[in-house]
Amino acid sequence: MNSIATRMMLEKGVEIVGAVARSEAKVGRDLGEVAGLGRELGVVVSDDAAEVFRRTSPDVAVVAINSYLEDAIDQLRICAAEGVNVVTLSEEMLYPWETSPELAEELDLAAKRSGATLTGTGYQDTYWVNMIGLLMGTAHRIDSVSGRASWNVDDFGPELARDQQVGATEAEFQEWLENAQRPPTFGRNVLDALVADTGLTPTSIKTTTRPDIASSATFSQALQTEVPAGHVIGMTDVDEICTAEGPRFVFEMSGRVYSEGDGDINEWAIAGEPDVVLSNGTVPTQLTTCTQLVNRIPDVINAPAGLVTVDKLPRLRYRARPLHEYLA
Amino acid sequence: MNSIATRMMLEKGVEIVGAVARSEAKVGRDLGEVAGLGRELGVVVSDDAAEVFRRTSPDVAVVAINSYLEDAIDQLRICAAEGVNVVTLSEEMLYPWETSPELAEELDLAAKRSGATLTGTGYQDTYWVNMIGLLMGTAHRIDSVSGRASWNVDDFGPELARDQQVGATEAEFQEWLENAQRPPTFGRNVLDALVADTGLTPTSIKTTTRPDIASSATFSQALQTEVPAGHVIGMTDVDEICTAEGPRFVFEMSGRVYSEGDGDINEWAIAGEPDVVLSNGTVPTQLTTCTQLVNRIPDVINAPAGLVTVDKLPRLRYRARPLHEYLA
């Protein structure tokens, strides 16, 4: 993700003044080399974010490290303390107010104190929040909002494949599920954002999970192993929020090893007056994660200080010109 | 449209203080009766907009009379002169800056002088402008933007059906087309809005038109007549804008008499990095025209004075609460 975003930023006229990584394999090397650009950028990867921030005074930090706020908090704390705006791919940062309220409030206060804006964006910005918020805006009455999405476990490396229980038997999956201490799903953050966008009052929140079972032997690229028929190739989390006013929000997210012909889907249906639907065919999730991370940069620099979620930002726009031309 | 919008406004807590019509069949009657609500509202339909505005000082006027700005201008002039905010279904008002620049500038100035906001909204607000603008925002590079939409001639009465040449032979159609002095298409206004949203520079604009031919005998409800196979059931306008920077914008809009199984479509594809698509299945065009007319009211009241097009308004939101609660 960082490699793709680096190329896209350069193509949009962004001057990259620093780069930070944790891995010894990256620190000390030129960013252009680390990002596979085939040329040097004159930017050496550092392992000291605070030092880089003080030396370069960047307009924004692009942070793509972790998914959960608990894991991302150390890096975000440094950005907030140093007054550096952030766009991050941390999925929980999409809308962390309900799932990590204390960390969200701490970051919000720190960012307001230093004048920084912190925003979680990525694929879900448009495809799961703002486009669905817009679709909801074309309804007179909403009874329910239902979304279905999928992602390919093989796109995200072996660690996530193991997290998704790829290769387990159904019995192993059920045993794991019963004892699993899983953090809230990212679907939960999506629904939290959508419910907040409507101003409705959540009354109950639940997540149920079912295994996705291989109907025939399926090779997992991420694990470099074949999953036998009848074994687990991933799972589907179903998040559901009911509201005091009536409307119900449901999001089914399936993360599994794809077979030939499978692709990421994004399908939403609103039942009410009138019924309306939306589909994005086969979505290029990885690329649109990076495009939104980059295209959001001017909005985040322009936004007021604090933890500002994407539902509060202006409607995302195509950036035909260098990004700095969109700064207020 | 006005009847549906009247009901929806009442259901969203709007206090309707006046009603204006031109037709003798409506003037002098109670709005509730005219709108088919089955109850009186205590609002008598007047034929004098200025008098109604002065007597009632409304927060907004909901104007659904004409499609072209040239036809709508008299009513909009009164609103602008009296300082009354407007949401209108006039299709050209969606983005009139290129097709009627003088009238648009006159209205903009008059509205700024009196403190009113004038906005053209309706179906195209979300489905043809803002949702597509959002989709474009998920692209790193756009080569082309292509939209396809359709509407049922039978939904809009006999006048429009005759305008769409329903019932003509193909030869009659071609003869009509060669001599037709047609106003710009509404697709043109849509593309103007999308190009403006990207900040690209239009270099050429063209509209081509082809007849839609009945493959079998097709009954037109609007004309109460059967169109023989081989005759015209409507037409497809193809608007195309090329830009100096490269991206090409195309919109095909087909208005024809539907057969069983036909429905309004809304399909968009962006070619570039990456390719992205959007479909809204079978769209309830009439209802979503009215829902957006009503749901936009708070945005328009909150907006700065002038002719403000929907691409400049905040992202449309669902209105769970009475509309007045969304006023700034």
Side-chain angles (χ1 to χ4, degrees):
Chain A
M1 294 294 180
N2 281 309
S3 299
I4 299 171
T6 297
R7 170 180 62 82
M8 288 181 172
M9 281 190 284
L10 292 170
E11 288 172 1
K12 297 275 177 197
V14 172
E15 184 194 354
I16 299 180
V17 294
V20 180
R22 296 165 300 175
S23 144
E24 279 183 23
K26 295 174 186 166
V27 174
R29 290 167 62 203
D30 187 89
L31 173 63
E33 190 197 331
V34 172
L37 299 180
R39 63 185 172 104
E40 297 218 335
L41 297 176
V43 174
V44 176
V45 177
S46 161
D47 61 358
D48 185 346
E51 188 280 326
V52 171
F53 291 160
R54 284 169 201 177
R55 178 165 43 82
T56 63
S57 299
D59 293 314
V60 68
V62 176
V63 179
I65 313 174
N66 296 299
S67 294
Y68 294 102
L69 185 45
E70 195 177 279
D71 303 322
I73 189 70
D74 289 344
Q75 288 96 16
L76 296 177
R77 273 187 186 127
I78 296 172
C79 299
E82 299 292 330
V84 174
N85 298 311
V86 169
V87 286
T88 174
L89 291 185
S90 158
E91 281 94 336
E92 195 183 353
M93 275 290 284
L94 178 75
Y95 198 88
W97 299 107
E98 305 296 332
T99 49
S100 294
E102 286 168 22
L103 292 179
E105 271 161 46
E106 178 207 318
L107 284 176
D108 184 47
L109 277 174
K112 280 178 174 151
R113 216 176 291 129
S114 71
T117 307
L118 313 181
T119 299
T121 174
Y123 177 75
Q124 50 276 66
D125 179 340
T126 289
Y127 290 95
W128 291 346
V129 175
N130 279 301
M131 200 176 268
I132 314 313
L134 191 45
L135 190 70
M136 294 195 297
T138 73
H140 175 63
R141 190 193 75 249
I142 291 179
D143 299 327
S144 68
V145 177
S146 312
R148 284 176 60 222
S150 68
W151 51 278
N152 188 357
V153 164
D154 273 348
D155 282 346
F156 297 89
E159 193 182 341
L160 211 53
R162 279 185 288 268
D163 284 353
Q164 288 292 109
Q165 308 302 308
V166 173
T169 64
E170 212 169 331
E172 285 167 349
F173 182 90
Q174 293 302 346
E175 196 191 326
W176 164 82
L177 186 61
E178 273 165 38
N179 301 298
Q181 294 292 325
R182 297 177 69 206
T185 61
F186 303 135
R188 164 77 195 279
N189 299 109
V190 170
L191 293 188
D192 283 340
L194 291 178
V195 171
D197 200 60
T198 61
L200 296 168
T201 319
T203 48
S204 74
I205 296 161
K206 70 172 180 192
T207 304
T208 53
T209 302
R210 57 174 192 258
D212 289 355
I213 303 297
S215 56
S216 60
T218 305
F219 188 78
S220 166
Q221 294 288 343
L223 294 179
Q224 286 295 306
T225 183
E226 188 172 83
V227 180
H231 281 229
V232 171
I233 49 169
M235 65 182 95
T236 300
D237 290 310
V238 183
D239 292 286
E240 178 177 342
I241 297 186
C242 294
T243 64
E245 297 83 357
R248 205 168 59 92
F249 294 72
V250 184
F251 190 28
E252 278 198 31
M253 200 183 331
S254 172
R256 63 176 193 279
V257 178
Y258 282 180
S259 300
E260 210 171 303
D262 280 349
D264 294 0
I265 61 164
N266 190 47
E267 294 173 357
W268 291 80
I270 294 174
E273 183 186 7
D275 295 342
V276 285
V277 299
L278 168 82
S279 167
N280 295 107
T282 302
V283 202
T285 306
Q286 275 192 302
L287 275 174
T288 51
T289 294
C290 295
T291 57
Q292 293 179 74
L293 183 70
V294 173
N295 289 345
R296 268 304 188 198
I297 289 174
D299 293 332
V300 170
I301 296 176
N302 291 339
L307 195 168
V308 179
T309 53
V310 291
D311 53 305
K312 304 287 189 297
L313 290 179
R315 195 252 291 150
L316 187 63
R317 280 176 159 69
Y318 176 60
R319 309 300 181 182
R321 302 191 304 282
L323 292 191
H324 65 82
E325 294 190 25
Y326 296 92
L327 299 185
Chain B
M1 295 292 180
N2 281 309
S3 299
I4 299 171
T6 298
R7 170 179 63 81
M8 288 181 171
M9 281 191 282
L10 292 170
E11 289 172 359
K12 297 274 181 200
V14 173
E15 184 194 353
I16 299 180
V17 295
V20 180
R22 296 165 299 177
S23 145
E24 280 182 22
K26 294 174 187 166
V27 174
R29 291 166 64 203
D30 186 90
L31 173 63
E33 191 197 330
V34 171
L37 299 181
R39 63 185 172 104
E40 297 218 332
L41 297 176
V43 174
V44 176
V45 177
S46 161
D47 60 359
D48 185 345
E51 187 280 325
V52 171
F53 290 160
R54 285 168 200 177
R55 179 165 43 82
T56 63
S57 299
D59 294 312
V60 69
V62 176
V63 179
I65 312 173
N66 296 300
S67 295
Y68 294 102
L69 186 44
E70 194 176 280
D71 302 321
I73 189 70
D74 289 344
Q75 288 95 17
L76 296 177
R77 274 186 185 129
I78 296 172
C79 299
E82 300 293 331
V84 174
N85 299 311
V86 169
V87 286
T88 175
L89 291 185
S90 159
E91 282 94 337
E92 194 182 354
M93 276 289 285
L94 179 75
Y95 198 87
W97 299 107
E98 304 296 331
T99 49
S100 295
E102 286 168 23
L103 292 180
E105 272 163 44
E106 178 207 320
L107 284 177
D108 184 46
L109 277 175
K112 279 177 174 151
R113 215 176 292 129
S114 70
T117 308
L118 313 179
T119 299
T121 174
Y123 177 75
Q124 50 277 67
D125 180 339
T126 289
Y127 290 96
W128 291 346
V129 176
N130 279 301
M131 200 176 268
I132 315 313
L134 191 46
L135 192 68
M136 295 194 297
T138 73
H140 175 63
R141 188 193 76 247
I142 292 179
D143 299 328
S144 68
V145 177
S146 312
R148 285 176 59 222
S150 68
W151 50 278
N152 188 356
V153 164
D154 273 348
D155 282 345
F156 296 90
E159 193 182 339
L160 210 53
R162 279 186 289 268
D163 284 352
Q164 288 292 110
Q165 308 301 307
V166 173
T169 63
E170 212 168 331
E172 286 167 348
F173 182 91
Q174 294 301 348
E175 197 191 326
W176 165 81
L177 186 61
E178 275 164 35
N179 301 298
Q181 294 293 323
R182 298 176 69 205
T185 61
F186 303 136
R188 164 77 195 279
N189 299 108
V190 170
L191 292 188
D192 284 341
L194 291 179
V195 171
D197 199 60
T198 61
L200 297 167
T201 319
T203 48
S204 75
I205 296 161
K206 70 173 178 191
T207 305
T208 53
T209 302
R210 59 174 190 258
D212 288 356
I213 304 296
S215 56
S216 59
T218 306
F219 187 78
S220 166
Q221 294 288 343
L223 294 178
Q224 286 294 308
T225 184
E226 188 172 83
V227 180
H231 282 230
V232 171
I233 50 169
M235 65 182 94
T236 299
D237 290 310
V238 184
D239 292 286
E240 178 177 342
I241 297 186
C242 294
T243 63
E245 296 83 357
R248 205 168 59 92
F249 294 72
V250 184
F251 190 28
E252 279 198 30
M253 201 183 331
S254 171
R256 64 176 193 278
V257 179
Y258 282 0
S259 299
E260 210 172 303
D262 281 350
D264 294 0
I265 61 165
N266 190 49
E267 293 172 358
W268 291 80
I270 294 174
E273 183 185 7
D275 295 343
V276 284
V277 299
L278 169 81
S279 166
N280 295 107
T282 302
V283 202
T285 306
Q286 276 191 301
L287 276 174
T288 51
T289 295
C290 296
T291 56
Q292 293 179 75
L293 183 70
V294 173
N295 288 346
R296 268 303 188 200
I297 288 174
D299 293 333
V300 171
I301 295 176
N302 291 340
L307 195 167
V308 179
T309 53
V310 290
D311 53 305
K312 304 287 190 297
L313 290 180
R315 194 251 292 151
L316 187 62
R317 280 176 158 70
Y318 176 59
R319 309 300 182 182
R321 302 191 304 280
L323 293 190
H324 66 82
E325 294 190 25
Y326 296 92
L327 299 185

